[in-house]
Amino acid sequence: MLNQIQGLHHVTSMAADARTNNRFFTDALALRRVKKTVNFDSPDTYHLYYGDETGAPGSIMTYFPFPHIGQRRPGTGEVGTTVFSVPEGALGFWRNRLGDLKVDGLKADETFGEKRLSFSGPDGDGFALVEVKDDVRPAWTHGGISEDHAIRGFHSVVMRLRDDGSTSELLKFMGYEVQEEKNGLKRLTKPNGNGAHLIDLAPAPHISSALPGAGSVHHVAFAVADRATQLEVRKALMDTGYQVTPIIDRDYFWAIYFRTPGGILFEIATNEPGFNQDEDTAHLGEALKLPRQHEHLRAAIEAHLEPLEA
Ligand code: ZN
């Protein structure tokens, strides 16, 4: 069993419109845009990163906006809900705020004894806020939201699976432990994790496979400290039979990817070097950053990309 994984690193999803996406995360949810770059594999489209002040692992929601993408069909083999942590007592504030902004799908309930507010993103993305007592992670309050209410990072993701058996086994191999099972849901936790250390598995044996599109989670990334630990995890996964990609330089972290038997694409990402490696923490996310291999295309890319701020 592995002990290098610390919890979630980032969640990456697809969106139909960059400007709408940027407004939703920076205005409605008041996260900080910590990087404005392009999809390294498709540099004519943005890759936008939102998170806390520094883009700490476990706080980073990222998006590929593809202007001509179709709508998704929700189903199994995907992350159904991405869940953020807010302080105890904050959900009333969020219910009013998101209600005033006409956000779809607002619904309050409880899961595993925690108060939860579910809602939909601009493309029908499944989101929720959960009240967490004593989440010590720092708040980004420059978005106009006080420390009593601000999002602290991820709480968990909910994986919707036709059969949760193989994914449950994989997560246990990755160092997670089953914490609780209730109402058909299984909650796993990574002991001594980074705050974003919970995963809920939701078996849905009679639901067909998801078809990806706008609002789908593209992949979920787990955090490891550095490249040395990433190599250990890669070797262990490959020794267990997983087909893992070579290590890929994503400028702000190093990444490896593998498809899980339940259908979800997993990534293992390093905490190093982080988002301030090419701009000051005070100015994160302001300038368009291009990876070295695409810098020669800057003029064409800048002419093509729609400005995020109207
Ligand atoms: Zn990723």
Side-chain angles (χ1 to χ4, degrees):
M1 197 184 79
L2 297 169
N3 62 6
Q4 298 91 336
I5 288 163
Q6 302 171 341
L8 298 174
H9 184 285
H10 63 270
V11 175
T12 294
S13 293
M14 297 183 285
D17 183 69
R19 198 179 286 185
T20 304
N21 183 259
N22 181 69
R23 200 166 40 229
F24 185 77
F25 283 92
T26 60
D27 288 355
L29 297 187
L31 296 179
R32 184 180 198 190
R33 190 176 70 225
V34 293
K35 197 61 64 182
K36 178 167 70 169
T37 183
V38 293
N39 183 334
F40 288 14
D41 303 317
S42 172
D44 58 339
T45 56
Y46 278 118
H47 192 180
L48 303 174
Y49 290 77
Y50 312 100
D52 69 4
E53 181 174 13
T54 61
S59 79
I60 315 155
M61 184 79 218
T62 102
Y63 271 89
F64 297 132
F66 292 115
H68 303 296
I69 194 174
Q71 274 297 317
R72 71 176 177 140
R73 186 188 73 195
T76 50
E78 67 173 355
V79 170
T81 311
T82 302
V83 187
F84 297 95
S85 164
V86 296
E88 249 188 338
L91 285 188
F93 165 86
W94 282 103
R95 188 171 190 139
N96 289 337
R97 179 183 179 85
L98 299 180
D100 288 347
L101 293 169
K102 307 274 185 283
V103 167
D104 286 337
L106 280 174
K107 182 177 153 239
D109 61 11
E110 278 200 18
T111 311
F112 293 111
E114 295 171 324
K115 287 188 183 154
R116 171 183 301 241
L117 179 66
S118 303
F119 58 98
S120 300
D123 295 299
D125 330 45
F127 289 119
L129 302 171
V130 165
E131 288 189 359
V132 177
K133 194 171 181 236
D134 302 327
D135 187 337
V136 297
R137 293 177 290 174
W140 170 249
T141 52
H142 295 249
I145 291 194
S146 78
E147 197 159 343
D148 293 342
H149 302 133
I151 287 174
R152 295 305 201 270
F154 294 121
H155 167 276
S156 59
V157 290
V158 184
M159 298 181 177
R160 191 163 45 221
L161 301 161
R162 186 166 285 231
D163 170 5
D164 69 350
S166 57
T167 305
S168 181
E169 286 311 306
L170 168 61
L171 288 167
K172 285 189 227 166
F173 179 70
M174 289 166 62
Y176 282 78
E177 296 174 0
V178 175
Q179 180 177 301
E180 203 177 345
E181 295 191 52
K182 204 172 181 182
N183 302 327
L185 277 178
K186 183 186 285 182
R187 169 159 289 184
L188 292 99
T189 181
K190 176 68 185 69
N192 307 311
N194 62 3
H197 53 269
L198 297 175
I199 306 273
D200 288 349
L201 302 182
H206 305 300
I207 294 180
S208 52
S209 298
L211 291 178
S216 295
V217 171
H218 183 270
H219 62 267
V220 56
F222 296 85
V224 291
D226 52 30
R227 297 181 78 184
T229 15
Q230 184 181 49
L231 270 179
E232 293 169 13
V233 172
R234 182 171 186 273
K235 179 173 187 317
L237 288 166
M238 290 182 74
D239 288 349
T240 314
Y242 288 98
Q243 304 281 327
V244 187
T245 66
I247 292 169
I248 301 170
D249 183 357
R250 294 303 189 195
D251 277 13
Y252 311 105
F253 48 87
W254 281 273
I256 55 175
Y257 304 87
F258 62 105
R259 182 75 59 181
T260 65
I264 299 175
L265 185 62
F266 277 14
E267 174 184 340
I268 310 290
T270 58
N271 293 348
E272 61 172 0
F275 290 93
N276 60 0
Q277 65 95 349
D278 62 355
E279 56 190 342
D280 286 346
T281 302
H283 294 284
L284 285 182
E286 293 175 9
L288 179 68
K289 292 292 174 185
L290 298 178
R292 245 182 329 274
Q293 65 269 30
H294 298 320
E295 192 58 61
H296 68 286
L297 301 170
R298 176 173 285 276
I301 290 171
E302 285 184 345
H304 175 81
L305 289 174
E306 173 193 37
L308 292 179
E309 280 88 12

